[in-house]
Amino acid sequence: MRLQAQPINVVSILGNDYSIKAPQGQEETLAQAVRMLNASLADTKRQYPTLIGDKLLVLAALNLCSRQIELQREHQQTLERTQAQIDATVDAIVRTIAEQ
């Protein structure tokens, strides 16, 4: 049995090149993540022009993580609202069937 080697992708972040192995089929996801990180770095740099290197990277990463947490909370609230609507619909159907 031969394992298929993962392709190595070279990405650039803060002017440094990194060789990263991405599972087959995940190359585009990696490319999107790099674009998102670079965009976040650029935004953070505009807000805090004196930040460089690790400090810039950490602040940009924290901003991305904060946004991810917000999205997860919004998603959970949407799921809870949807479940409540489903439960109400099922209750209404059960009542309608019981009345007949």
Side-chain angles (χ1 to χ4, degrees), residues 15 22 30 46 48 54 58 71 90:
L30 173 61
R46 276 192 292 280
Y48 304 95
D54 289 349
V58 168
L71 290 172
V90 169

Side-chain angles (χ1 to χ4, degrees), residues 72-90:
Q72 287 173 331
R73 285 184 187 145
E74 290 172 13
H75 179 71
Q76 185 61 40
Q77 290 170 350
T78 300
L79 285 176
E80 289 169 3
R81 280 193 308 271
T82 302
Q83 187 61 53
Q85 291 171 342
I86 291 169
D87 291 345
T89 302
V90 169

Side-chain angles (χ1 to χ4, degrees), residues 6-11 18-23 26-28 30-31:
Q6 293 177 339
I8 296 176
N9 300 272
V10 178
V11 299
Y18 298 90
S19 298
I20 300 175
K21 290 183 181 180
Q26 294 296 312
E27 298 86 1
E28 182 55 32
L30 173 61

